[in-house]
Amino acid sequence: ALEADDEALIALLSEYHASEIAILFETLSQEARERIINILPLEIASEVISEMNVEIHPEKILNNLTPDKRTEIVEEMDYDDAADIISLLSEERQDEILEELDAEDASTIRNLLTYDEDTAGGLMNSQVLKVNSGLTKKEALEEIIRLSEEIEEFYTINVVDNYNHLVGIVSLKDILKSKHSVHIRELVKDDFVFVKANTDQEEVAKLLSQYNLTSIPVVDDEMHLLGRITFDDVMDVLQEENTEDMLKISGVSEDEELSGNWKEAVKSRLPWLILNLGTAFLAASVIRHFEPTLGQIPILAGYMAMIAGMGGNAATQALAVTVRRISLNDLTDSQAYSTVLKEFMVGMINGAVNGFIVFLFALLYDANPMLGFVIFSAMTGNLIIAGVAGSSIPLVLKRIGIDPAIASSIIITTFTDVFGFLLLLGLASELLL
Amino acid sequence: ALEADDEALIALLSEYHASEIAILFETLSQEARERIINILPLEIASEVISEMNVEIHPEKILNNLTPDKRTEIVEEMDYDDAADIISLLSEERQDEILEELDAEDASTIRNLLTYDEDTAGGLMNSQVLKVNSGLTKKEALEEIIRLSEEIEEFYTINVVDNYNHLVGIVSLKDILKSKHSVHIRELVKDDFVFVKANTDQEEVAKLLSQYNLTSIPVVDDEMHLLGRITFDDVMDVLQEENTEDMLKISGVSEDEELSGNWKEAVKSRLPWLILNLGTAFLAASVIRHFEPTLGQIPILAGYMAMIAGMGGNAATQALAVTVRRISLNDLTDSQAYSTVLKEFMVGMINGAVNGFIVFLFALLYDANPMLGFVIFSAMTGNLIIAGVAGSSIPLVLKRIGIDPAIASSIIITTFTDVFGFLLLLGLASELLL
């Protein structure tokens, strides 16, 4: 379709929603993306850029547009989207682009750029539907209809006093249902949820999801209304945080782009692997220590690999359940205690069952019941260690304020490797030699 | 506080939002929960039960209430929430409880119970804000205000014809902004997103998130309007799906409750561990095959553990990135191909770097350059296998319609264990003996 002339292309694309075009962009070349942005109607073009996955670099398109086109597109965008995308450019380039804009837009965006991107301030849109508490029903409705020209969606209406202090919220429904003579201040709900600009985005997502809100107002320390965060931004945050958790727990840096190139992937993963190599030397030193035992009973080597592999997997299970649980909710002391106790029990039972299977194998295949007993004990012991380490390490990290997902499988498998080898080879040295 | 008399307790709880009381419930005994539900105002009590985490069994509370109280509470609940909770009880008990309700409510809930809980039908609320396309602006507004008594939130207004066929949607904003004489049919947006009742809930979540919708209408095959799904239900779905992915990739059954007891955890994890044990026997048989080599070069045992551990971790990294990427988006053939190619490159480079470190160790500590070369080659080869298996297995599973997250670390580490041992011990047998 990209060989067609512009007119045919526009006709074709007009069938699609901007977010669909943004997804289509993921399969197109940079050149094709820029050509399409240049011929789309302004409104659609700005929405497409806003909706583009950051991994395919919307800022590059913005950067390569002619100054006039860029200004038109940025001024058509929501302020929060514009700030998010402009923030991806170098500071020098940011200044140049902001210079081209109308002074008020530039200052609003400049202001949004000052907030950390992981906070409420970084998420919020400063275009917010607000009415003064002194307005009558009729005046408020007129104001809302007027504002709705600029603001795409109006979920909740914020009510402010003459000094832009947020005094409460009111729903359009309540305004519509009220009597004619009513003033907004009589309808205001003053028991409402809001966040400060420096609130962490994960906390914002939790609040919005817990209270089933479509949007949440953002204020400064003096309760001045700064902006609002809508549910669609929060859904993106949830997905982002979930991705980060899954990557971290698997020993991948949280900022690796899923569709990044091999250079980025090496940069993100190599440090973790080298850390793992360091811990692997530790496990290997345990094995070296027991070299004489291994020399006398060489079939232990195969069982070693089993004990280590099973321990690592059982630890990963306990880790995933615990990290996911505490990422959704905080645990009380007694809940944390009973979580570790539970994982101890689970490790003991799973260890005993699997240990018994391997015991039977050693008995029947190697005809060595004492060897079977050693392996049974090492398997059970190692799966208990797996459960206790897999649950207690993330719990402790959370308590001391470190992200529990950092307790990745890499850290945890060190425990099970070292203790698994110690148990198996130590017991074998004592009981089989 | 639970020793206080009822009045003081109510006064205390009245400070809290229902969702906060639902969270508080997680730390209380079943007895305390039931006592609180019984003294709370009906409206709050039903909301608390709706908001309770399924893991602390809201259906038990419902089950233990007196029939009258239960009927009052269920009739106060949203139909979708009531159906969700009642569905957790035995079919017999479901019937008994539905008998107690008013006939219309019972039949609506009975209807919702017929949908699979993972589909749009299972998520939707059948109470939906709809107006007939023939109404005038004034009539429509009156109808909306009347309906808003029963329907908590009204994000989007569905427009139907005389036969309850969904013809489009209209926003309250557009109605308010329109001229007095207008009919709803003139305002209708007929280019809108909807889902069928049997659409998978993950697909619903994707659509709602992609198009930034507050709600999405649900229809049957003849476009009859059945209900709507709101963004707050979808946020819960997203979290649920993310939890399932993280558990599955770690070798935990997707339906293990995070706060479940040890019996459930054993049931959910033991099958995976036994599967892992089976694959571990495979890896152990490779080691047994090379027993003579190990007997002659016992220090190989320590290096074996390193190669296997590093391979497992590198595979987990590739797996997490790939599974997460395809859970968010489908990949084209060429994207899938370049993903595997990327992981090949990443495995080669990470393998060579880590292999070189171990080579240096073998050279300096064991004074055996040929051993170092064998280990370097095995490390590089195993990390390439890790990258290729970790990326291609989930991609293939997705193509053939199996959930890619099932390609858990347990499956993938079998590859790296078996091939790692084969490479290391095979090369050692060839080059060092």
Side-chain angles (χ1 to χ4, degrees):
Chain A
L2 287 175
E3 285 76 34
D5 61 18
D6 289 358
E7 223 165 295
L9 190 55
I10 291 193
L12 181 71
L13 290 172
S14 70
E15 299 281 310
Y16 294 93
H17 189 276
S19 70
E20 291 162 342
I21 301 176
I23 288 175
L24 174 73
F25 268 27
E26 298 185 8
T27 60
L28 297 182
S29 69
Q30 182 65 18
E31 202 189 344
R33 291 175 195 152
E34 287 175 14
R35 174 163 168 227
I36 290 174
I37 287 295
N38 270 304
I39 60 175
L40 280 174
L42 267 188
E43 201 184 321
I44 308 290
S46 73
E47 216 179 318
V48 170
I49 295 181
S50 303
E51 292 281 331
M52 275 173 70
N53 190 330
V54 279
E55 299 195 351
I56 58 167
H57 302 291
E59 79 280 8
K60 276 195 197 158
I61 294 187
L62 211 58
N63 195 40
N64 295 347
L65 291 169
T66 62
D68 283 356
K69 185 87 181 175
R70 180 165 52 231
T71 301
E72 285 176 330
I73 282 183
V74 171
E75 292 188 344
E76 188 69 34
M77 289 166 83
D78 285 343
Y79 286 132
D80 56 338
D81 294 332
D84 285 348
I85 294 170
I86 291 176
S87 74
L88 299 171
L89 295 164
S90 70
E91 285 204 19
E92 225 173 40
R93 196 78 188 96
Q94 289 179 20
D95 282 337
E96 285 167 22
I97 289 176
L98 290 171
E99 297 272 311
E100 300 160 8
L101 300 180
D102 125 356
E104 200 190 315
D105 288 345
S107 112
T108 306
I109 293 173
R110 223 180 273 279
N111 205 0
L112 287 175
L113 285 172
T114 63
Y115 296 106
D116 186 333
E117 63 165 335
D118 290 338
T119 65
L123 269 185
M124 73 181 181
N125 192 337
S126 49
Q127 251 170 336
V128 45
L129 196 61
K130 61 183 176 187
V131 296
N132 191 292
S133 61
L135 298 186
T136 62
K137 172 180 177 175
K138 184 157 175 286
E139 289 165 339
L141 276 179
E142 281 166 7
E143 175 74 0
I144 290 165
I145 292 171
R146 195 182 64 74
L147 286 170
S148 73
E149 294 296 333
E150 283 176 35
I151 300 177
E152 189 72 12
E153 308 275 1
F154 51 134
Y155 309 120
T156 304
I157 297 147
N158 297 290
V159 182
V160 293
D161 66 13
N162 293 331
Y163 308 99
N164 194 37
H165 292 118
L166 181 63
V167 296
I169 56 170
V170 63
S171 72
L172 190 54
K173 177 171 92 176
D174 289 335
I175 299 180
L176 287 174
K177 281 164 62 180
S178 64
K179 274 177 275 167
H180 248 323
S181 58
V182 87
H183 279 75
I184 294 301
R185 72 168 65 87
E186 302 166 55
L187 301 175
V188 156
K189 202 180 142 223
D190 58 3
D191 163 29
F192 63 100
V193 184
F194 59 88
V195 292
K196 299 275 178 70
N198 59 3
T199 303
D200 186 83
Q201 64 175 3
E202 212 168 340
E203 181 64 25
V204 176
K206 260 188 201 163
L207 285 171
L208 204 127
S209 161
Q210 183 187 339
Y211 295 99
N212 296 341
L213 305 170
T214 41
S215 76
I216 198 165
V218 183
V219 297
D220 67 13
D221 288 333
E222 285 87 41
M223 283 298 285
H224 291 110
L225 181 61
L226 299 175
R228 63 156 188 177
I229 297 169
T230 50
F231 74 97
D232 49 315
D233 298 321
V234 164
M235 278 200 202
D236 296 341
V237 169
L238 282 180
Q239 291 296 62
E240 201 183 291
E241 298 277 346
N242 283 320
T243 299
E244 285 182 12
D245 275 0
M246 192 181 274
L247 293 187
K248 269 186 287 188
I249 205 179
S250 306
V252 179
S253 302
E254 56 184 319
D255 47 2
E256 175 172 334
E257 292 181 2
L258 297 177
S259 62
N261 61 28
W262 60 267
K263 279 182 222 154
E264 291 166 25
V266 168
K267 221 174 92 188
S268 133
R269 301 182 207 170
L270 185 53
W272 289 103
L273 288 176
I274 288 178
L275 174 66
N276 184 37
L277 187 63
T279 71
F281 273 110
L282 192 64
S285 74
V286 173
I287 297 175
R288 283 194 180 229
H289 176 76
F290 288 104
E291 224 170 75
T293 310
L294 266 173
Q296 285 184 261
I297 319 168
I299 50 169
L300 277 175
Y303 289 112
M304 260 172 49
M306 274 190 190
I307 300 278
M310 293 291 287
N313 278 309
T316 303
Q317 291 179 330
L319 181 70
V321 171
T322 308
V323 165
R324 188 66 190 162
R325 182 158 182 223
I326 57 184
S327 90
L328 297 175
N329 283 304
D330 290 326
L331 296 191
T332 63
D333 284 348
S334 81
Q335 283 177 316
Y337 175 77
S338 67
T339 299
V340 177
L341 195 69
K342 168 182 127 182
E343 293 298 342
F344 180 97
M345 289 286 294
V346 173
M348 193 169 68
I349 294 167
N350 284 344
V353 172
N354 285 287
F356 185 70
I357 296 173
V358 187
F359 165 82
L360 284 181
F361 182 83
L363 187 70
L364 301 174
Y365 191 83
D366 290 326
N368 189 338
M370 196 46 130
L371 172 66
F373 175 74
V374 165
I375 294 163
F376 172 84
S377 309
M379 181 76 85
T380 310
N382 201 25
L383 262 60
I384 291 176
I385 288 162
V388 172
S391 57
S392 60
I393 293 178
L395 283 167
V396 168
L397 288 178
K398 173 102 175 187
R399 279 302 142 104
I400 58 178
I402 298 177
D403 184 343
I406 205 93
S408 66
S409 42
I410 285 176
I411 312 284
I412 300 284
T413 51
T414 306
F415 272 80
T416 51
D417 277 1
V418 170
F419 283 99
F421 295 147
L422 266 180
L423 277 170
L424 179 69
L425 300 174
L427 283 172
S429 304
E430 288 296 318
L431 299 176
L432 299 177
L433 292 188
Chain B
L2 286 175
E3 285 74 34
D5 61 19
D6 289 359
E7 222 163 295
L9 192 54
I10 292 193
L12 182 71
L13 290 172
S14 69
E15 301 280 311
Y16 294 93
H17 190 276
S19 70
E20 291 161 341
I21 300 177
I23 290 175
L24 174 72
F25 269 26
E26 298 186 9
T27 61
L28 297 182
S29 69
Q30 182 66 16
E31 204 191 341
R33 291 174 196 152
E34 288 175 12
R35 175 162 167 227
I36 289 174
I37 288 295
N38 269 304
I39 60 175
L40 280 175
L42 268 187
E43 200 185 320
I44 308 290
S46 71
E47 215 180 319
V48 171
I49 295 180
S50 303
E51 291 281 331
M52 273 172 70
N53 190 327
V54 278
E55 299 196 352
I56 59 166
H57 302 292
E59 79 280 10
K60 276 196 195 157
I61 294 187
L62 212 59
N63 195 40
N64 295 346
L65 290 170
T66 62
D68 284 357
K69 185 85 183 179
R70 179 166 50 235
T71 301
E72 287 176 329
I73 283 182
V74 171
E75 294 190 341
E76 187 71 32
M77 289 167 83
D78 284 345
Y79 287 131
D80 57 337
D81 294 330
D84 286 347
I85 293 171
I86 290 175
S87 73
L88 299 170
L89 294 165
S90 70
E91 285 202 20
E92 225 172 41
R93 196 76 189 100
Q94 289 179 19
D95 282 338
E96 286 166 22
I97 289 177
L98 291 171
E99 297 273 312
E100 300 160 7
L101 299 180
D102 123 2
E104 200 191 314
D105 289 343
S107 109
T108 306
I109 293 174
R110 225 181 272 281
N111 205 1
L112 287 176
L113 285 172
T114 62
Y115 297 107
D116 187 334
E117 62 165 337
D118 290 340
T119 63
L123 267 187
M124 74 181 180
N125 192 338
S126 48
Q127 255 171 332
V128 46
L129 196 62
K130 60 182 176 187
V131 297
N132 190 293
S133 61
L135 298 187
T136 63
K137 171 180 176 174
K138 185 156 175 289
E139 291 164 337
L141 275 178
E142 281 167 5
E143 174 75 1
I144 290 165
I145 291 172
R146 195 183 64 73
L147 287 170
S148 74
E149 293 296 332
E150 283 176 37
I151 299 176
E152 190 70 12
E153 309 273 2
F154 51 133
Y155 309 120
T156 305
I157 297 147
N158 297 291
V159 182
V160 293
D161 66 14
N162 292 333
Y163 307 98
N164 194 37
H165 292 118
L166 181 63
V167 295
I169 57 171
V170 63
S171 73
L172 190 54
K173 176 172 91 177
D174 288 334
I175 299 181
L176 286 174
K177 280 163 63 179
S178 64
K179 272 178 276 169
H180 248 322
S181 57
V182 86
H183 279 73
I184 295 300
R185 74 169 63 86
E186 303 165 56
L187 300 174
V188 156
K189 203 180 143 224
D190 57 3
D191 163 30
F192 63 101
V193 184
F194 59 88
V195 293
K196 298 275 179 71
N198 59 3
T199 304
D200 186 83
Q201 63 175 2
E202 212 167 342
E203 181 63 24
V204 176
K206 257 188 206 166
L207 286 172
L208 203 127
S209 160
Q210 183 187 337
Y211 294 99
N212 296 342
L213 305 170
T214 41
S215 77
I216 197 164
V218 183
V219 297
D220 67 12
D221 287 335
E222 284 86 40
M223 281 300 283
H224 291 111
L225 180 61
L226 299 174
R228 63 155 187 177
I229 297 169
T230 50
F231 74 97
D232 49 316
D233 298 320
V234 165
M235 278 202 202
D236 296 341
V237 169
L238 281 180
Q239 291 296 60
E240 202 182 291
E241 299 277 347
N242 283 318
T243 298
E244 285 181 12
D245 276 1
M246 192 183 273
L247 293 187
K248 268 185 288 187
I249 204 180
S250 307
V252 178
S253 302
E254 57 185 317
D255 47 3
E256 174 170 335
E257 294 182 359
L258 296 179
S259 62
N261 62 28
W262 61 267
K263 279 180 223 156
E264 292 166 25
V266 168
K267 222 175 89 188
S268 132
R269 301 184 208 169
L270 185 54
W272 289 104
L273 287 176
I274 289 178
L275 174 66
N276 183 36
L277 187 63
T279 70
F281 273 109
L282 192 66
S285 74
V286 173
I287 297 175
R288 283 197 180 228
H289 177 77
F290 288 104
E291 225 170 73
T293 310
L294 264 174
Q296 284 184 260
I297 319 169
I299 50 169
L300 277 176
Y303 289 112
M304 260 171 50
M306 275 189 189
I307 300 278
M310 293 291 289
N313 279 309
T316 303
Q317 291 179 329
L319 181 69
V321 170
T322 309
V323 165
R324 187 64 190 162
R325 182 159 181 220
I326 57 186
S327 90
L328 298 175
N329 283 304
D330 290 327
L331 297 192
T332 63
D333 284 349
S334 81
Q335 283 176 316
Y337 175 76
S338 68
T339 298
V340 177
L341 195 68
K342 167 183 129 182
E343 293 298 342
F344 180 95
M345 288 287 294
V346 172
M348 193 169 67
I349 294 167
N350 284 343
V353 173
N354 284 287
F356 185 69
I357 296 174
V358 188
F359 166 80
L360 284 181
F361 181 83
L363 186 71
L364 301 174
Y365 190 83
D366 291 326
N368 190 339
M370 195 48 127
L371 173 67
F373 174 74
V374 165
I375 295 164
F376 172 84
S377 309
M379 181 75 85
T380 308
N382 202 25
L383 261 61
I384 291 175
I385 288 161
V388 172
S391 56
S392 61
I393 293 179
L395 283 167
V396 169
L397 288 177
K398 173 101 176 187
R399 279 302 144 104
I400 59 179
I402 298 177
D403 184 342
I406 205 92
S408 67
S409 42
I410 284 177
I411 313 285
I412 300 284
T413 51
T414 304
F415 272 80
T416 51
D417 277 1
V418 170
F419 284 98
F421 295 147
L422 266 181
L423 277 170
L424 179 68
L425 299 174
L427 283 172
S429 304
E430 290 296 319
L431 299 176
L432 299 177
L433 291 187

